[in-house]
Each structure stands twice: as structure tokens, then as C-alpha cells.
Amino acid sequence: MIQPEVETLYEAVGGKETIYRLVKAFYPRVYCDPDLSPLFPEGIDEIMQKQYLFLTQFTGGPALYSEQHGSPQMRYRHMAFQVTPRRAAAWLRCMREAMDEIGLTGKTRDILYDRLSQVARIMVNSSDDREK
């Protein structure tokens, strides 16, 4: 029996073009956010590229992040930074606004946002009251 091909989230959102547009809309917001910008003192160009690679892989597209940087292990990679509940919420707000900007809507958006919300919760490694 032939299995029908299952569309990945990557394909459902529109592939590399949409992921690129999302990252491009997302990071200027992050860089301007008072809670998030201190995490990026060197600018956002390199991190934008890494986010593009990660989101491509995260949504079921090519394993670009792993090919260039090894296993994502995002929580481990972010342990050097204070990721607080407030920062996780700000990150999600920036992502929601970026999705709005590029016109990502419907069930696909909901699925992607839900998955990113799970990542944001997992990334928290410090309480808000310990933030420097």
C-alpha cells in the first residue's frame, strides 16, 4: 500500500521563503525589545542566520542547522544566557507580531506558534527576579 505524502509544517507555512520572511520580521523586534536586546550586544546578523537554519529544521524542512552546527540542543546552547519567563514571553510576543506582519494565519500559524511556545517554556532557565 502506498502511503500518501504528509505535508510538513515547513511546507505548510510556505517553505524557505516564509521562514526567511518570518526571521526577517522577527529579529528587528527582538533587537528593539528592552528585555531581549541585552542578549544581543554584538548585533543580530549571525543569530538571524542561525534562526533561519533552526526554524527550517524545526518545522520539518532540510536539517540545515544540524548540518552546519550539530544537534540543535537549544536549551543547552542558551544556558549561558538568563532566559527568564518575562524574556520567553517577550520572545513569543515578537514572534506573534512577526507572524502578523508576514500574514501567517490559520491552523498552520496556530500549530507553529504552539510548538514555539513549548520551546520558549523549555528555554526558561532563570527566574525574573534573578535577571541582571
Side-chain angles (χ1 to χ4, degrees):
M1 175 183 232
I2 298 176
Q3 296 287 338
E5 289 197 32
V6 176
E7 184 177 53
T8 64
L9 185 54
Y10 178 75
E11 294 164 328
V13 299
K16 67 182 178 181
E17 293 82 12
T18 302
I19 298 294
Y20 176 77
R21 288 176 43 237
L22 182 60
V23 170
K24 191 173 178 184
F26 174 68
Y27 269 98
R29 287 172 167 78
V30 168
Y31 200 64
C32 291
D33 185 277
D35 289 321
L36 299 174
S37 61
L39 299 174
F40 304 96
E42 304 299 319
I44 59 172
D45 293 334
E46 181 181 349
I47 197 67
M48 282 180 68
Q49 177 62 18
K50 286 181 178 179
Q51 180 76 317
Y52 170 79
L53 299 175
F54 172 75
L55 284 176
T56 296
Q57 183 169 327
F58 179 74
T59 57
L64 301 177
Y65 189 92
S66 291
E67 289 170 4
Q68 292 188 31
H69 302 286
S71 177
Q73 301 178 10
M74 287 298 131
R75 180 168 166 79
Y76 173 77
R77 291 179 188 270
H78 287 79
M79 288 304 287
F81 307 100
Q82 284 189 326
V83 181
T84 65
R86 184 171 65 231
R87 283 181 168 159
W91 188 87
L92 285 169
R93 185 190 70 255
C94 290
M95 185 58 75
R96 192 172 48 252
E97 291 171 0
M99 289 177 175
D100 290 344
E101 180 180 321
I102 70 166
L104 188 59
T105 61
K107 186 174 182 172
T108 301
R109 174 198 172 115
D110 295 344
I111 292 168
L112 178 57
Y113 187 79
D114 181 61
R115 291 189 65 198
L116 290 171
S117 296
Q118 293 172 33
V119 170
R121 283 190 300 274
I122 290 167
M123 300 296 283
V124 171
N125 61 23
S126 185
S127 63
D128 285 319
D129 61 335
R130 292 186 53 204
E131 189 175 322
K132 294 178 184 177

